[in-house]
Amino acid sequence: MDLTGAFGARSAAVGACREPPGLESLHLGGGDGGFTALLELPPTQAVELLHFTDPSPSSSQAAVAGVGLDVSPPPPPLHAYGALTFPSNAALMERAARFSVMANEQQNGNVSGETTTTSSVPSNSDRVKTEPGETDSSQRLENNRCGIGKRKELDKKVKGSTKKKSKSSEENEKLPYVHVRARRGQATDSHSLAERARREKINARMKLLQELVPGCDKGTDIDGKIKIKVCVCVWGPLISGKRNIVSNTLVWKHGCDTPPPPRQIQGTALVLDEIINHVQSLQRQVEMLSMRLAAVNPRVDFNLDTLLASENGSLMDGSFNGTAMQLAWPHQVTETEQSFHHRQLQLQQPPQPQQWPYDGLIQPAWGREDDQGHGNEHNSLMAVSENLMVGSASLHPNQVKMEL
Amino acid sequence: MASAYNPIYTDVPEKDVFALHFLQTLSNLRTQNSFSSPDNKTSDRVKKIKKAAYVSMARAAGGTNRLWSRSLLHQAAKRNNKNVRFLRRKRRVTWLMRRRSNRGDPIEDVAAERLRNLVPGGGGMETSKLMEETAHYIKCLSMQVKVMQCLVDGLSPK
């Protein structure tokens, strides 16, 4: 029976449909030509094709998506678009009812909506078409349907101000990654829609950046001042005094795990300025620290124990585990190299994690270094790095190879 | 960490990875003869260290997976040896320029231009992509700053 056969395929696809977490990408598999073909069919035939007889992956996926997403509760009882078909065909309705009932049995629990839809099946076509505007979770099936119902949708009156017309399905096909809704009353030509898609992408990323940059979502000066006080206590006079407010709040924010509650966006320009300031301050910090390093390095006669102790205190925080350690790394480090590239190429050797005691690690490294006759500073730096190796979590070999 | 799937992928490795790379490049610097000689000017040494920091950061952050790290590494390679293949980025930039001049928020574009100048490799990117790169770049920069700070603290005289 075609019902059970199709059903088997669909229930298999349900699991796959649940997985993709972001609804930004549409998996309209091979349905490039399918929808435009569907558009030319009369609605009933198209629906029939969609739900039952069409073995193409897109429609089955879409139908299943409609069913599968119904289980996760959207507030209005839209369910099984498979069930809410065009009510003009009685046979189809019966099949749809059967389909939804079987969907009930197949999936767990909260498909009460399915039964209600079977009872409320003879809904007017208006309701059928407005409901796509309400839920975001039924996007995929809606794409299938809007190709069919687009003509009717454009004509009818939209109920409520929150309803949104959906973008044409053909356009969704061309951009398989982005699904954009056209707002009510706005133009639906491809240019403005693409522009809107671009804007939304940019706004999403801007929000992400806002979370990164501290002080971006803060409005008042008072907050900034409080943060400065906190960070001064935390970090003290470690870094030289030429720091602006942004960098101070940066320090504070990175020291604390719970971010402050976000506020309204101040405006694109301000946010971007803040981001730019942040990047500039970070780069300035790098430069300052490199100056300090340059000043510190050559003239210090290293005492190994103190160095290791200090490195232990500062670098071995919670992120370090005393687990694996690559032995191949010390081999490569002590070799003399010509340039950065040569050096990094040598890292291609797969590191072999082994557990070595701390003392045992230092000795062979020193032995090797003495053979090569390096300077004292080199030794101490090597010791520092050995120290890191002992404490650090294992470097993934993939990562080491990947960067080349 | 958020359990929700973030479609914009901006994870950076842990601090020890950055530390590792930075120390590697530093030790590599030491093996160069010109570095450890005391009559070397401090500014040169500073520049070298800075460059080492950026290169190691680029490597630690994922090598050539990111645009900014790729361009950083290319810049570094260009200085070291002159046989670097020139990236055909000019063509993309002109296309983007034309596209940007047609439409676009003036406020956003001005700021985007400044950001492009800051973030390495930002010349050939769309604005949305630029923001992704900036987010990742900021994360990596802050990590690198932490590492360098720890190192300086460790090495500075008590």
Side-chain angles (χ1 to χ4, degrees):
Chain A
M1 189 160 96
D2 62 339
L3 192 58
T4 51
F7 216 83
R10 248 176 252 119
S11 50
V14 167
C17 277
R18 307 250 194 149
E19 270 179 348
L23 287 173
E24 286 187 19
S25 66
L26 298 179
H27 303 290
L28 297 178
D32 262 352
F35 288 127
T36 49
L38 276 176
L39 277 179
E40 295 156 6
L41 296 172
T44 58
Q45 278 191 18
V47 164
E48 183 173 341
L49 272 181
L50 269 184
H51 296 314
F52 294 104
T53 62
D54 193 358
S56 72
S58 58
S59 59
S60 66
Q61 249 188 7
V64 172
V67 171
L69 290 164
D70 295 342
V71 183
S72 61
L78 291 180
H79 306 287
Y81 278 116
L84 286 180
T85 65
F86 294 88
S88 50
N89 194 345
L92 259 188
M93 295 316 297
E94 190 213 10
R95 282 169 94 184
R98 257 190 299 150
F99 168 56
S100 63
V101 168
M102 295 191 72
N104 270 341
E105 295 165 355
Q106 283 272 338
Q107 303 173 17
N108 334 334
N110 49 351
V111 283
S112 59
E114 308 267 358
T115 52
T116 58
T117 53
T118 57
S119 58
S120 68
V121 142
S123 54
N124 46 356
S125 49
D126 278 342
R127 180 166 167 263
V128 165
K129 283 174 217 90
T130 54
E131 276 160 27
E134 285 179 10
T135 56
D136 289 338
S137 62
S138 52
Q139 278 180 11
R140 282 187 207 143
L141 193 49
E142 181 203 337
N143 287 334
N144 295 332
R145 303 190 69 255
C146 68
I148 303 156
K150 184 188 173 188
R151 282 169 268 140
K152 301 189 185 174
E153 222 172 336
L154 287 175
D155 293 341
K156 72 171 186 60
K157 190 173 53 142
V158 178
K159 298 176 193 169
S161 56
T162 57
K163 299 277 177 18
K164 299 175 179 174
K165 275 191 293 185
S166 61
K167 204 174 158 185
S168 62
S169 60
E170 298 98 15
E171 201 156 359
N172 284 336
E173 283 181 54
K174 284 170 200 150
L175 314 164
Y177 311 106
V178 172
H179 178 67
V180 172
R181 281 178 185 277
R183 297 217 173 82
R184 180 189 176 198
Q186 288 185 352
T188 53
D189 62 320
S190 62
H191 283 299
S192 51
L193 279 169
E195 170 90 26
R196 204 170 301 117
R198 184 172 165 266
R199 295 263 153 234
E200 288 181 11
K201 262 208 296 190
I202 290 180
N203 286 340
R205 282 162 173 82
M206 191 98 71
K207 262 182 244 162
L208 186 75
L209 275 174
Q210 268 193 303
E211 292 163 18
L212 274 184
V213 177
C216 230
D217 41 354
K218 298 299 153 287
T220 67
D221 269 341
I222 299 178
D223 284 341
K225 286 195 186 108
I226 291 177
K227 282 191 197 57
I228 293 173
K229 280 189 209 157
V230 170
C231 81
V232 164
C233 302
V234 168
W235 265 39
L238 283 182
I239 304 187
S240 70
K242 295 183 228 170
R243 307 190 63 187
N244 51 2
I245 291 180
V246 174
S247 56
N248 281 336
T249 56
L250 154 73
V251 168
W252 174 80
K253 178 125 180 162
H254 279 278
C256 158
D257 278 343
T258 62
R263 302 231 190 120
Q264 293 298 328
I265 299 179
Q266 293 278 309
T268 312
L270 293 178
V271 166
L272 279 174
D273 280 345
E274 195 61 38
I275 293 172
I276 289 173
N277 286 341
H278 189 224
V279 170
Q280 276 174 341
S281 75
L282 279 176
Q283 286 178 340
R284 257 183 273 136
Q285 276 179 41
V286 169
E287 180 156 358
M288 228 172 355
L289 284 172
S290 65
M291 273 196 304
R292 290 184 67 188
L293 262 183
V296 159
N297 269 345
R299 60 175 170 82
V300 178
D301 193 18
F302 288 116
N303 189 2
L304 188 63
D305 298 327
T306 58
L307 202 132
L308 289 178
S310 58
E311 286 295 326
N312 267 332
S314 56
L315 280 170
M316 277 192 173
D317 43 14
S319 62
F320 283 74
N321 316 328
T323 55
M325 178 199 73
Q326 289 84 28
L327 284 183
W329 192 81
H331 287 277
Q332 296 139 16
V333 160
T334 58
E335 293 172 11
T336 53
E337 295 295 341
Q338 299 302 321
S339 70
F340 293 124
H341 281 271
H342 277 296
R343 164 173 209 81
Q344 295 304 325
L345 278 174
Q346 292 250 343
L347 275 175
Q348 269 275 319
Q349 293 184 30
Q352 300 148 10
Q354 286 183 28
Q355 288 277 354
W356 272 39
Y358 184 74
D359 297 328
L361 170 63
I362 298 297
Q363 292 308 318
W366 277 19
R368 258 178 268 115
E369 284 163 355
D370 288 338
D371 292 344
Q372 307 237 355
H374 287 297
N376 194 18
E377 293 112 67
H378 193 63
N379 277 352
S380 48
L381 251 186
M382 283 310 105
V384 169
S385 44
E386 305 300 334
N387 179 26
L388 279 179
M389 296 311 298
V390 170
S392 71
S394 64
L395 249 195
H396 310 288
N398 316 334
Q399 205 172 18
V400 168
K401 285 179 193 151
M402 172 187 70
E403 58 199 337
L404 303 171
Chain B
M1 272 196 276
S3 58
Y5 167 69
N6 190 8
I8 308 170
Y9 177 69
T10 50
D11 286 342
V12 303
E14 292 294 322
K15 191 162 77 167
D16 44 355
V17 176
F18 281 88
L20 187 68
H21 283 84
F22 188 49
L23 285 173
Q24 282 175 7
T25 48
L26 272 188
S27 64
N28 186 25
L29 271 184
R30 293 187 170 287
T31 62
Q32 293 176 11
N33 292 332
S34 64
F35 191 79
S36 38
S37 63
D39 49 327
N40 201 8
K41 283 212 174 71
T42 318
S43 59
D44 285 347
R45 206 182 301 137
V46 168
K47 262 188 254 171
K48 282 190 183 163
I49 289 189
K50 194 168 83 164
K51 181 178 127 191
Y54 276 112
V55 167
S56 76
M57 177 173 76
R59 284 230 178 74
T64 52
N65 283 348
R66 287 273 158 182
L67 261 168
W68 64 265
S69 61
R70 211 178 303 162
S71 88
L72 257 184
L73 290 172
H74 253 279
Q75 282 171 28
K78 235 190 299 180
R79 276 181 240 152
N80 283 344
N81 60 341
K82 311 289 180 191
N83 308 331
V84 174
R85 194 167 41 91
F86 180 70
L87 271 185
R88 296 297 303 169
R89 212 183 279 158
K90 284 284 174 69
R91 216 181 326 146
R92 268 175 72 200
V93 169
T94 53
W95 175 79
L96 275 175
M97 291 292 218
R98 211 180 307 131
R99 194 173 175 217
R100 274 184 242 144
S101 63
N102 283 343
R103 55 176 158 89
D105 206 4
I107 303 177
E108 166 200 308
D109 281 349
V110 162
E113 272 303 313
R114 289 170 64 191
L115 204 52
R116 256 175 258 272
N117 293 336
L118 277 183
V119 176
M125 278 194 268
E126 251 283 336
T127 311
S128 56
K129 186 79 178 157
L130 178 70
M131 306 209 134
E132 236 181 277
E133 295 290 317
T134 311
H136 195 255
Y137 186 56
I138 288 179
K139 278 193 195 169
C140 293
L141 262 183
S142 45
M143 197 72 76
Q144 182 74 19
V145 162
K146 272 189 231 172
V147 163
M148 288 175 76
Q149 184 63 42
C150 288
L151 205 58
V152 165
D153 290 342
L155 292 178
S156 63
K158 296 295 181 265

